[in-house]
Amino acid sequence: MIELSTVIKDLREELEQSIAEAQGKNLQFELGAIELEVSLALEKNAGGKGKVRFWVVDLGVDGSVRSNAVQRVKLSLQPTVEVAGVRTSAFVSGRAGSIEQ
């Protein structure tokens, strides 16, 4: 199992790498909404703060997680980039727009 925050962080890093590698390319792909569907197991620490953690589960690996303890969640993420203090759509390939560098 892996924490949901790690999955989102890794996705962000992959997208940032794609944006960086796309500089100087003619063909553009504007990033639209990203739908991420995962199976989650919840864990609540019994300490004073009672923090809840979300773990992404691969149900095909083994039967160590009870199926009734797993919830399917669909996240919709809208990626943007900040250019010169302005939030705008992200492009993973192609020429920079008028406000992009």
Side-chain angles (χ1 to χ4, degrees), residues 61-73:
V61 175
D62 60 22
S64 64
V65 178
R66 296 185 326 267
S67 61
N68 62 353
V70 173
Q71 302 294 321
R72 292 189 64 81
V73 176

Side-chain angles (χ1 to χ4, degrees), residues 9-60:
K9 179 181 86 51
D10 290 347
L11 174 60
R12 182 182 299 112
E13 289 173 0
E14 289 286 333
L15 291 172
E16 287 176 348
Q17 181 179 351
S18 294
I19 290 168
E21 290 175 356
Q23 296 204 6
K25 305 288 186 206
N26 288 328
L27 182 62
Q28 293 184 349
F29 296 104
E30 183 175 1
L31 289 177
I34 296 173
E35 292 187 358
L36 182 65
E37 189 169 331
V38 294
S39 296
L40 295 178
L42 276 64
E43 173 187 79
K44 182 171 181 175
N45 294 340
K49 294 183 180 181
K51 181 178 177 180
V52 175
R53 293 170 58 173
F54 297 90
W55 297 92
V56 176
V57 178
D58 182 354
L59 295 176

